[in-house]
Amino acid sequence: MLASSRSFERRLPWLLAPFAAAAGLLEIRAIDFFWHLAAGRWILVNGDVPRVDPFRFTSPQGTEWIDHEWGFQLLLAVIERVGGTGGLVLLRLAIVASVVVLLYRALRRRAAPVPVAVVLTCAAVVGARSRFYLRPELLSLFFFVVLLVLLERAASGRWRDVLALVALVVVWANVHPAVLLAPVLAAA
């Protein structure tokens, strides 16, 4: 009985994943989604990050611009090129499901009882559902949970975990400005 209980407990996060995926099934309502996708396509075609906004019409041509979310845009364009719009839907579902699984496992590592971990995870999904659009901030939600997991592991002082933290922050810095929370969380 104990072995089957442990087996169920290991599978439970993946049973929560369909719940999270259903919560992530939203129509495209983010007004900047297609802009991000177009910018990613531009990066793929030109092999560089734009220094001026190629789609700008509200300011003079040639006005300097820093594209601080180019990593997300490139990811969108690559996924679209490989998997079409279905690939983009799967990307969103994979990010949301990964957040749920990582969050549940983090709660269990902190000794939260299974029912408490399930309820808190489901509450987090319901509470964050309005943020599940395919935008750079969705990837920031994922990176936020990964950051918490890595901070916990890095506390042991293993170099590999510390390097993983640094790599996460470098990638995150090119995806969304919420990376500014990383040092605050690390200090806390």
Side-chain angles (χ1 to χ4, degrees):
M1 182 81 163
L2 187 59
S4 66
S5 174
R6 284 191 183 135
S7 175
F8 174 74
E9 201 172 315
R10 277 195 302 274
R11 287 191 211 118
L12 188 58
W14 297 106
L15 296 175
L16 290 170
F19 170 70
L25 283 174
L26 304 166
E27 65 278 5
I28 296 172
R29 288 190 5 208
I31 58 172
D32 59 351
F33 168 78
F34 291 105
W35 184 92
H36 285 299
L37 183 57
R41 290 174 182 157
W42 190 96
I43 293 168
L44 277 178
V45 166
N46 293 287
D48 197 9
V49 177
R51 307 282 182 250
V52 296
D53 185 347
F55 313 112
R56 182 172 286 184
F57 64 91
T58 57
S59 61
Q61 283 293 83
T63 303
E64 276 193 50
W65 171 64
I66 298 173
D67 187 358
H68 54 83
E69 295 170 340
W70 69 269
F72 175 77
Q73 295 158 356
L74 183 59
L75 175 66
L76 283 184
V78 168
I79 295 295
E80 183 206 29
R81 183 174 280 183
V82 171
T85 54
L88 294 171
V89 170
L90 290 177
L91 173 65
R92 177 172 55 189
L93 296 179
I95 294 169
V96 172
S98 297
V99 167
V100 167
V101 169
L102 288 170
L103 181 59
Y104 173 82
R105 287 190 172 164
L107 287 166
R108 290 295 294 138
R109 272 194 310 279
R110 289 289 192 184
V114 171
V116 171
V118 168
V119 168
L120 288 176
T121 301
C122 290
V125 168
V126 170
R129 185 175 186 270
S130 66
R131 311 309 318 163
F132 289 166
Y133 293 108
L134 195 50
R135 302 186 69 238
E137 95 180 285
L138 179 60
L139 214 44
S140 275
L141 284 175
F142 173 73
F143 289 151
F144 176 75
V145 175
V146 171
L147 175 73
L148 294 177
V149 170
L150 288 175
L151 283 171
E152 185 177 17
R153 293 173 77 189
S156 66
R158 292 188 311 215
W159 280 102
R160 182 180 57 153
D161 296 325
V162 173
L163 289 175
L165 267 171
V166 171
L168 173 70
V169 170
V170 167
V171 170
W172 193 356
N174 293 292
V175 169
H176 192 257
V179 70
L180 297 173
L181 293 174
V184 174
L185 291 171

